[in-house]
Amino acid sequence: MNLLKKIIKVIIALIVLFSICIAIWIGYMKYEQSQKDKTELTFLTTAKWEWYDKYARIQSNYNSLFKSTVLRKVNLSKQYVIYASKNKDYTLSARVVFSVDCKPNSSIVTSKVFTDGTPKELKCSSDGKSLSYGVQWSSGSSDVVWSENLDGFKVYENFGNWDFSILDKEITLLKAK
């Protein structure tokens, strides 16, 4: 009988210990995710960003000066951010910002060219902490895959997975008389 009580106590102790280990692991995983979220929301920005579509890792920020929302997606592993906005004609504009030290306010002419032969340029920020490059699509479709290699500065994003409905609604509401 004493042996049975000892076995039951050991089993209960093991269950409690196992439960504590699982709780610690879950707490650590939640902490790790919250740190990743915080890092993404503050990466290469001083503005306050919030999750627009956390599952797709897309953030939003309302710019009161331009009276429009800008969406962005951070790629921490490749150290860049993609910003996307819509123009008054509903066409898509995007900008990629690479986290890299560069000569402040300088331009780098790449070997890549637009269809009209104009060279593509990377622009260095005023603080010398990032290079950026912007594009605009003439089609009204947002189902665009942006894939570009600007002499080693590579960007890839499938905008077909982004929800631009908030941007489209803002453009429509601005047309109110």
Side-chain angles (χ1 to χ4, degrees):
M1 194 61 136
N2 276 344
L3 180 62
L4 185 60
K5 285 183 181 181
K6 285 182 182 180
I7 291 173
I8 291 173
K9 285 181 182 181
V10 168
I11 290 173
I12 291 172
L14 287 174
I15 290 172
V16 168
L17 184 63
F18 183 70
S19 298
I20 290 170
C21 288
I22 288 176
I24 289 171
W25 180 76
I26 289 171
Y28 175 76
M29 295 305 287
K30 286 187 178 208
Y31 172 76
E32 186 102 346
Q33 185 61 48
S34 73
Q35 290 301 106
K36 182 182 182 215
D37 290 349
K38 182 180 175 184
T39 300
E40 283 187 31
L41 288 168
T42 59
F43 186 72
L44 284 178
T45 187
T46 56
K48 183 169 173 27
W49 291 83
E50 58 187 40
W51 291 111
Y52 175 68
D53 181 347
K54 195 169 183 180
Y55 178 75
R57 308 306 290 172
I58 297 170
Q59 305 167 21
S60 68
N61 177 287
Y62 184 78
N63 185 317
S64 56
L65 180 65
F66 296 111
K67 295 183 181 171
S68 66
T69 299
V70 176
L71 302 179
R72 79 177 205 151
K73 189 173 187 180
V74 174
N75 187 323
L76 289 174
S77 64
K78 296 195 174 139
Q79 293 289 286
Y80 68 73
V81 182
I82 294 176
Y83 294 88
S85 60
K86 289 273 191 116
N87 305 303
K88 290 180 183 179
D89 62 357
Y90 298 94
T91 56
L92 179 63
S93 290
R95 175 164 298 285
V96 61
V97 180
F98 298 96
S99 177
V100 62
D101 290 335
C102 52
K103 183 179 175 186
N105 298 316
S106 65
S107 290
I108 299 171
V109 177
T110 69
S111 64
K112 309 300 180 192
V113 294
F114 290 101
T115 53
D116 67 358
T118 308
K120 296 181 178 182
E121 289 185 51
L122 293 164
K123 307 274 187 184
C124 184
S125 61
S126 59
D127 64 1
K129 298 289 182 192
S130 62
L131 283 173
S132 67
Y133 171 72
V135 293
Q136 181 176 337
W137 288 272
S138 56
S139 160
S141 172
S142 299
D143 192 10
V144 176
V145 175
W146 184 18
S147 179
E148 212 153 351
N149 182 349
L150 300 166
D151 296 340
F153 290 93
K154 297 177 184 178
V155 61
Y156 177 87
E157 188 58 46
N158 182 353
F159 289 110
N161 298 326
W162 291 43
D163 176 9
F164 290 104
S165 60
I166 189 171
L167 305 182
D168 293 335
K169 288 176 185 175
E170 286 176 358
I171 293 167
T172 301
L173 290 171
L174 285 174
K175 294 177 180 181
K177 294 181 182 183

